[in-house]
Amino acid sequence: MNTSTTPIRNIAIIAHVDHGKTTLVDHMFRQGGISLGSGTEDRVMDGMDLERERGITIAAKNCSVTWKGTKINILDTPGHADFSGEVERAMSMVDGAILLVDCAEGPLPQTRFVLSKALARNMPIIVLLNKIDRKDARPAEVLNEVYDVFIDLDATEQQIEFPVLYAIGREGMAKESLEAEGSNLEPLFEAIIKYIDPPLDRSTEPFQLLVSDLGYSGYLGRIAIGRVFAGTAKKTDKFIRIGRTGAEEDIKVTDLQSYYGLEAKSIPDIASGEIALIAGVTDIEIGDTICLKGQGKPLPRIHIDEPTVSMRFTVNTSPFSGQEGKHVQSRKIRERLLKETMHNVALQVEESEDGDSFIVKGRGEFQMAILIETMRREGYELAVGRPRVITREIDGTTHEPVEKLYVDIEEIYIGVVSEKLALRKGKLLNLINHGTGRVRLEFSIPSRGLIGYRSEFLTDTRGTGIMNALLVGFEPHRGEFSSRSAGSLVADRFGDAIPYALFHLEPRGILFVPPGEKLYPGMIIGEHNRDNDLLVNASKTKKLSNMRASGKDEAILLTPTKVLSLEEAIEYIKDDELVEVTPKSIRLRKAELPRTKV
């Protein structure tokens, strides 16, 4: 197929987590004539294991469908602000967006974040109200909330006059009104062609492609992915790349490709407006411009929001290091982190003087947790410290990142949630009560106030609360506060966790290790009831003698231990503690291990 003669639409799909975006894309494939194949019948755009397990989109991905002769390039964007780098890259390649909103939940914070990026680029938006079949659906109210969001984000009059469609994503159906009959996604495809403008025809200008993503093929090597903003090119042409410094460098291109369905296929030429893949290039970065030799004209590099959180990644120095991981050396960890920065432009890595630790900066602890989880699944073993917010000096005053926190809870928990957030320097901005028994609270709170709060929030609301945050900027430092008041129960010797010892430690606090767990001095085995750390012997056994005790021997019944997930462990630790991460285990430990006591 010759891309220069095919009508094109480039769109992004914006939605909050669990609003049905990936399911909708599945049906767009099916109705666009794309075969999904056996074994990949659901959520085909969730290619990563973590995406399928968590039901979220982490990486922006490309695909395309063809509708009545028009090629529609679709970019599936993450719905979480921690993956802002992915969002920025996706927005640099499209001309419009579909805003997918749950008809019951309405627009949520992460939706606002991605939408703000689209509106800032003056893109037309199609609003799709999904899940209209829910019993608690309230389409009229949600539509009003969407208008409010557009107004809050300073949308233009033209952007506010958006078309509205109603859908049941899991049935692959959309319609123009609630009263209309719907059987397929034809109204959505027609709206895309009608309301999203085609790319400007700049085929006569010098060739320019902005690299927005990177891929790799064992057969073709490194692949640069991006949008052709101007000109046309053939595989036989001579190409150059223009990097950060503005210097031109010759590159050898082995293949030109474009997306057809889920696959990238070779094409003879690429033209203005197309999203293309250029194979064979080496040492290329996201944000570089690819041009034809003798026509070097760089495009503005992709702007990424500044990082707000940093974490220290170090080699694992515990007594158990090297027992479960395949990659344990600092050199291996360094290579993996630098490789991640090539794909994830929102991450920054700084090396320490000792060479054994690295400061990784990003947009949130959730983004960091996904990176750590990915690394441990690849066989890496490391230790990470507590997330720290990155402050700025503005006019001689320390400013810190501040977030707008949206909390959806039952009415009975208003008091405890408001009290806990006030202690973390949170300010209540708004309270909305729809009369359903649940209320929505809006707070302004420092980013550091949210570190370690999520698990406490779920405990306080008995697991029924929903919490979402959105970075709004930097404000003067709001003062210090204590995050975790409880101390730690710390093992004082090597050994196995013995039920007898754990039973007698239960009155001291909450235990994190089950019976039989191998322990080492300095390993955190639980949370102390008081604010100080306590060295304990969890390997103590019952003294045996030939004297029979009065009464019968009672079986030891232990309270189930609290097993911390990776995110919970990262949020839980204090500044003097680390999380030891291996492919098989997640352990908590003190940063400074005590002298070995056998």
Side-chain angles (χ1 to χ4, degrees):
M1 177 182 274
N2 191 329
T3 58
S4 61
T5 59
T6 306
I8 294 174
R9 299 293 188 276
N10 297 318
I11 63 163
I13 300 186
I14 299 169
H16 192 83
V17 175
D18 203 31
H19 278 201
K21 167 166 53 77
T22 309
T23 303
L24 177 76
V25 174
D26 280 1
H27 284 282
M28 291 180 74
F29 277 139
R30 293 188 179 99
Q31 296 182 31
I34 304 298
S35 173
L36 301 184
S38 60
T40 55
E41 292 302 317
D42 297 311
R43 297 191 291 134
V44 292
M45 290 298 280
D46 284 349
M48 297 169 58
D49 290 341
L50 279 173
E51 291 179 320
R52 287 187 167 272
E53 290 171 17
R54 297 168 181 260
I56 62 173
T57 299
I58 294 172
K61 291 174 285 292
N62 305 54
C63 61
S64 76
V65 298
T66 300
W67 180 261
K68 296 182 178 179
T70 299
K71 183 181 180 184
I72 302 173
N73 287 314
I74 302 170
L75 273 80
D76 188 13
T77 62
H80 201 289
D82 277 18
F83 306 110
S84 63
E86 302 289 327
V87 174
E88 301 285 3
R89 294 197 285 107
M91 290 301 157
S92 70
M93 289 191 274
V94 298
D95 299 301
I98 297 172
L99 174 62
L100 187 72
V101 181
D102 188 305
C103 247
E105 295 184 6
L108 293 177
Q110 310 300 344
T111 310
R112 297 171 66 101
F113 167 75
V114 187
L115 179 61
S116 68
K117 299 296 182 183
L119 294 177
R121 291 177 175 267
N122 202 30
M123 292 181 182
I125 308 293
I126 298 172
V127 173
L128 186 67
L129 300 184
N130 194 26
K131 302 186 182 181
I132 56 175
D133 58 332
R134 283 183 57 160
K135 291 182 180 179
D136 55 350
R138 45 189 187 93
E141 292 177 46
V142 168
L143 183 57
N144 286 333
E145 292 174 9
V146 172
Y147 279 114
D148 291 341
V149 170
F150 272 71
I151 293 170
D152 288 346
L153 296 176
D154 297 325
T156 64
E157 289 187 17
Q158 188 176 1
Q159 289 172 326
I160 291 177
E161 293 174 1
F162 49 76
V164 181
L165 297 175
Y166 302 86
I168 304 176
R170 65 181 179 181
E171 296 180 8
M173 181 273 286
K175 52 188 181 179
E176 295 181 350
S177 67
L178 289 170
E179 298 77 22
E181 292 291 329
S183 59
N184 55 34
L185 292 175
E186 182 173 350
L188 176 59
F189 286 120
E190 294 294 340
I192 292 171
I193 294 172
K194 180 179 179 181
Y195 295 107
I196 306 298
D197 294 329
L200 292 174
D201 183 8
R202 299 175 57 190
S203 55
T204 59
E205 300 179 25
F207 178 77
Q208 292 174 301
L209 179 143
L210 180 66
V211 180
S212 301
D213 199 358
L214 297 174
Y216 183 81
S217 164
Y219 177 67
L220 295 170
R222 185 166 296 285
I223 298 173
I225 305 169
R227 173 171 170 171
V228 181
F229 279 84
T232 60
K234 297 177 181 177
K235 187 169 70 173
T236 54
D237 290 334
K238 293 184 177 179
F239 294 84
I240 60 170
R241 81 171 180 102
I242 304 175
R244 293 179 183 274
T245 62
E248 298 182 3
E249 179 185 332
D250 291 346
I251 56 175
K252 184 178 180 180
V253 172
T254 58
D255 198 14
L256 301 180
Q257 299 179 341
S258 182
Y259 286 101
Y260 292 94
L262 290 168
E263 298 179 354
K265 297 182 179 180
S266 294
I267 52 177
D269 56 53
I270 48 178
S272 173
E274 181 63 277
I275 294 176
L277 300 86
I278 297 184
V281 292
T282 56
D283 299 327
I284 197 160
E285 296 181 1
I286 290 173
D288 289 355
T289 302
I290 295 178
C291 304
L292 294 183
K293 193 164 186 176
Q295 301 178 2
K297 187 180 178 183
L299 290 162
R301 296 186 73 87
I302 299 172
H303 171 74
I304 303 297
D305 289 343
E306 291 294 315
T308 57
V309 170
S310 69
M311 282 180 66
R312 182 176 292 274
F313 285 49
T314 70
V315 294
N316 184 17
T317 57
S318 84
F320 295 166
S321 64
Q323 295 182 9
E324 298 173 352
K326 185 169 60 174
H327 308 297
V328 297
Q329 305 96 330
S330 60
R331 175 177 57 85
K332 292 284 189 181
I333 296 173
R334 176 182 179 276
E335 290 174 358
R336 179 62 181 83
L337 291 175
L338 293 179
K339 179 183 175 183
E340 185 69 22
T341 61
M342 293 182 65
H343 294 270
N344 192 340
V345 289
L347 278 182
Q348 299 177 10
V349 176
E350 297 177 1
E351 297 186 48
S352 64
E353 294 180 0
D354 58 14
D356 285 340
S357 63
F358 310 89
I359 302 298
V360 181
K361 298 179 179 179
R363 289 302 311 276
E365 64 266 29
F366 184 51
Q367 181 192 28
M368 300 292 188
I370 293 295
L371 170 60
I372 297 165
E373 179 65 30
T374 304
M375 289 178 66
R376 73 184 288 243
R377 292 185 181 203
E378 294 172 358
Y380 286 85
E381 188 174 300
L382 67 157
V384 296
R386 178 178 171 82
R388 297 172 180 264
V389 298
I390 300 172
T391 58
R392 294 180 182 175
E393 287 291 326
I394 303 177
D395 297 331
T397 306
T398 301
H399 285 59
E400 64 178 343
V402 173
E403 312 209 17
K404 191 170 280 188
L405 176 68
Y406 298 82
V407 173
D408 190 318
I409 55 174
E410 295 179 20
E411 289 184 37
I412 56 174
Y413 302 126
I414 293 177
V416 64
V417 169
S418 299
E419 181 183 356
K420 291 287 182 69
L421 289 173
L423 292 174
R424 293 169 173 263
K425 303 297 180 181
K427 299 177 183 177
L428 180 63
L429 303 177
N430 195 12
L431 188 153
I432 302 171
N433 191 337
H434 291 298
T436 60
R438 294 184 70 88
V439 294
R440 189 171 291 182
L441 307 177
E442 187 178 320
F443 292 86
S444 169
I445 186 169
S447 297
R448 60 193 168 96
L450 295 178
I451 296 175
Y453 175 65
R454 186 175 296 274
S455 57
E456 194 175 329
F457 169 75
L458 290 173
T459 301
D460 291 340
T461 60
R462 305 296 187 269
T464 62
I466 302 172
M467 185 176 91
N468 290 287
L470 175 67
L471 180 73
V472 293
F474 284 75
E475 294 182 9
H477 197 273
R478 294 191 183 178
E480 298 299 330
F481 59 85
S482 59
S483 52
R484 192 185 105 203
S485 57
S488 300
L489 297 175
V490 184
D492 68 352
R493 68 193 68 200
F494 286 100
D496 295 341
I498 303 297
Y500 175 79
L502 295 179
F503 178 77
H504 287 90
L505 287 175
E506 281 186 351
R508 299 281 191 177
I510 302 170
L511 298 180
F512 298 154
V513 297
E517 182 88 359
K518 292 189 177 301
L519 310 176
Y520 60 80
M523 180 174 165
I524 297 171
I525 67 165
E527 179 181 289
H528 193 199
N529 285 337
R530 301 186 179 181
D531 59 2
N532 63 305
D533 294 340
L534 184 66
L535 286 172
V536 297
N537 178 8
S539 302
K540 184 178 181 181
T541 57
K542 185 177 181 180
K543 297 291 185 190
L544 299 177
S545 70
N546 59 359
M547 299 296 293
R548 189 172 184 85
S550 60
K552 64 178 181 178
D553 290 335
E554 295 182 358
I556 292 176
L557 296 176
L558 294 173
T559 304
T561 55
K562 181 179 180 180
V563 179
L564 297 179
S565 66
L566 178 60
E567 286 117 294
E568 289 172 335
I570 291 171
E571 292 180 346
Y572 178 81
I573 58 174
K574 289 184 174 182
D575 290 334
D576 65 339
E577 297 170 348
L578 297 174
V579 179
E580 178 185 349
V581 182
T582 76
K584 297 181 181 179
S585 308
I586 296 173
R587 306 183 186 96
L588 275 60
R589 50 164 280 197
K590 303 303 287 187
E592 294 292 331
L593 296 177
R595 292 186 177 182
T596 304
K597 182 175 181 179
V598 181

